[in-house]
């Protein structure tokens, strides 16, 4: 094995992955913008704004925040998708409350409670055991 060749291949692979990652994030951002515009147009056409509409717009804002954090820091906090999942479950409850049976409603609310507990555990772990930053320009060991 040639370490110099392996390092060059690793850097090339990481650069390619970074390009695909950026393209994926741009597609997610563009799709969220389109969905938000369609939702706002639907609200204007209907002449009313419901709680479900607001929760959907909040989901879109959370996605924008998640993509923004990723572009700023290069890291995706695991809490953001959990927040999005909690809001999505809340929206599901708001939209389908009348048609949900008791067990399904309890299941959804229990899921929301578990996700909220997961956020607390993650935050506690992050505060109690902070990440160690790796200086830029240094390769991390495998």
């Amino acid at each position: 094995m040639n370490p110099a060749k392996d390092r060059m291949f690793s850097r090339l692979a990481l650069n390619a992955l970074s390009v695909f990652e950026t393209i994926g994030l741009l597609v997610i951002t563009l799709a969220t913008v389109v969905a938000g515009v369609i939702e706002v147009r639907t609200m204007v056409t209907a002449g009313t704004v419901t709680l479900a509409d607001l929760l959907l717009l909040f989901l879109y804002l959370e996605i924008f925040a998640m993509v923004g954090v990723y572009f700023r820091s290069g890291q995706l906090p695991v809490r953001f998708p959990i927040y999005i999942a909690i809001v999505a479950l809340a929206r599901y409850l708001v939209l389908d409350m009348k048609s949900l049976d008791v067990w399904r409603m309890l299941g959804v609310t229990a899921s929301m409670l578990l996700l909220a507990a997961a956020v607390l555990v993650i935050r506690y772990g992050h505060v109690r055991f902070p990440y160690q930053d790796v200086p830029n320009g240094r390769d991390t060991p495998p």
Side-chain angles (χ1 to χ4, degrees), residues 18-19 21-30 63-77:
S18 178
V19 168
E21 194 173 55
T22 302
I23 291 169
L25 287 170
L26 290 175
V27 167
I28 288 170
T29 303
L30 182 62
I63 292 169
F64 286 138
M66 186 172 63
V67 171
V69 164
Y70 188 83
F71 274 127
R72 273 192 296 279
S73 69
Q75 298 174 345
L76 179 64

Side-chain angles (χ1 to χ4, degrees), residues 2-135:
N2 184 349
K5 214 179 226 187
D6 291 341
R7 181 165 290 177
M8 188 175 73
F9 176 74
S10 293
R11 287 179 196 256
L12 182 64
L14 286 173
N15 287 338
L17 287 174
S18 178
V19 168
F20 287 125
E21 194 173 55
T22 302
I23 291 169
L25 287 170
L26 290 175
V27 167
I28 288 170
T29 303
L30 182 62
T32 306
V33 166
V34 169
V37 167
I38 291 171
E39 182 63 25
V40 169
R41 189 176 62 200
T42 302
M43 289 186 306
V44 169
T45 302
T48 184
V49 178
T50 65
L51 181 58
D53 296 330
L54 293 175
L55 288 173
L56 187 59
L57 290 175
F58 185 71
L59 280 171
Y60 296 150
L61 286 176
E62 285 293 324
I63 292 169
F64 286 138
M66 186 172 63
V67 171
V69 164
Y70 188 83
F71 274 127
R72 273 192 296 279
S73 69
Q75 298 174 345
L76 179 64
V78 110
R79 294 186 323 265
F80 277 86
I82 295 174
Y83 295 148
I84 292 170
I86 291 171
V87 174
L89 287 170
R91 185 175 184 276
Y92 174 67
L93 276 178
V94 168
L95 289 178
D96 295 335
M97 187 179 294
K98 293 180 182 176
S99 66
L100 292 178
D101 62 359
V102 173
W103 290 108
R104 185 171 299 251
M105 193 177 298
L106 284 173
V108 171
T109 54
S111 299
M112 291 171 66
L113 184 63
L114 283 172
L115 289 169
V119 168
L120 287 174
V121 168
I122 291 168
R123 284 297 298 147
Y124 175 77
H126 182 70
V127 169
R128 182 84 167 111
F129 308 104
Y131 302 126
Q132 294 184 2
D133 291 332
V134 176

